[in-house]
Amino acid sequence: MTCYYNSIFYAIKVMEDFKELTKAEEQIMKELWDMGRGFVKEIVDRLPEPKPAYNTVSTIVRILETKGFVTHESFGKSHQYLPKISKEEYKKGITGKLLTNYFDNSPKSMLSYFLEENRLDVQELDEILSIIERNK
C-alpha cells in the first residue's frame, strides 16, 4: 500500500509543479527535442513557412529557459540551447494532467473515451491488446 500512496503523492506533486507549453513554445521544443541542441538560427531554419522572425524565436527560447524547459551554453555572444526536460518527461506531465483534470485519474475512462470517439482503428486496438498481454 505504501508504494501505491507514494506514487499518488508523487503524481499530485508533479501536477502541481507542471508547466504547460503554449502552442508556439511547444513548436520550438519539438525542434529542440529533435535536434538535441541548437542555436536560434538553426531552430528558425527548421520551422515551417511562414517562418517566424529570428527575434520572435529568440524570445520564445528565453521564455522556455525562464520556465525551466531549456538551458544554454555560451559561445562568445551566441547561445546554444538544449532541452532541460526530455520529451518523455513532458509527455508524462501533459498526459498526467489530462488524466487528472478530465478523466478523474482513471486510465480506463481515458481509453474508453478514445474508443467511444472512434479515435482508435482496429490495428491500434490490436497493438494495445498486445501491450496489455506483455505487461500482465
Side-chain angles (χ1 to χ4, degrees):
M1 273 305 212
T2 304
C3 183
Y4 174 75
Y5 288 116
N6 286 344
S7 63
I8 288 175
F9 291 129
Y10 175 75
I12 290 168
K13 179 69 176 142
V14 168
M15 290 303 100
E16 288 171 356
D17 296 340
F18 183 74
K19 295 179 185 121
E20 201 167 337
L21 296 170
T22 66
K23 188 176 179 179
E25 291 167 348
E26 189 174 274
Q27 186 178 26
I28 301 300
M29 282 305 299
K30 283 180 179 179
E31 295 305 330
L32 275 174
W33 285 322
D34 288 346
M35 297 166 66
R37 57 179 50 230
F39 294 96
V40 172
K41 182 177 180 346
E42 294 170 325
I43 298 168
V44 172
D45 290 344
R46 293 175 57 103
L47 294 171
E49 295 292 341
K51 294 187 185 298
Y54 177 95
N55 288 342
T56 301
V57 174
S58 180
T59 299
I60 293 169
V61 171
R62 285 193 310 277
I63 290 168
L64 286 167
E65 190 167 24
T66 301
K67 285 183 166 183
F69 282 95
V70 301
T71 188
H72 74 271
E73 291 180 9
S74 297
F75 296 91
K77 291 183 179 182
S78 296
H79 292 87
Q80 187 178 46
Y81 295 93
L82 53 150
K84 198 171 175 181
I85 293 175
S86 71
K87 187 175 185 177
E88 191 61 32
E89 288 171 310
Y90 186 73
K91 191 186 327 180
K92 283 179 186 178
I94 198 82
T95 304
K97 188 172 184 177
L98 181 68
L99 192 63
T100 301
N101 291 343
Y102 298 98
F103 297 101
D104 298 324
N105 254 346
S106 170
K108 182 181 114 185
S109 293
M110 191 161 108
L111 182 56
S112 295
Y113 170 79
F114 288 111
L115 290 170
E116 291 166 5
E117 292 295 315
N118 296 317
R119 304 275 179 149
L120 299 170
D121 63 27
V122 175
Q123 182 181 352
E124 290 171 321
L125 286 172
D126 286 341
E127 290 171 11
I128 290 169
L129 289 172
S130 193
I131 292 167
I132 291 169
E133 285 299 315
R134 280 195 312 264
N135 288 292
K136 276 188 175 180

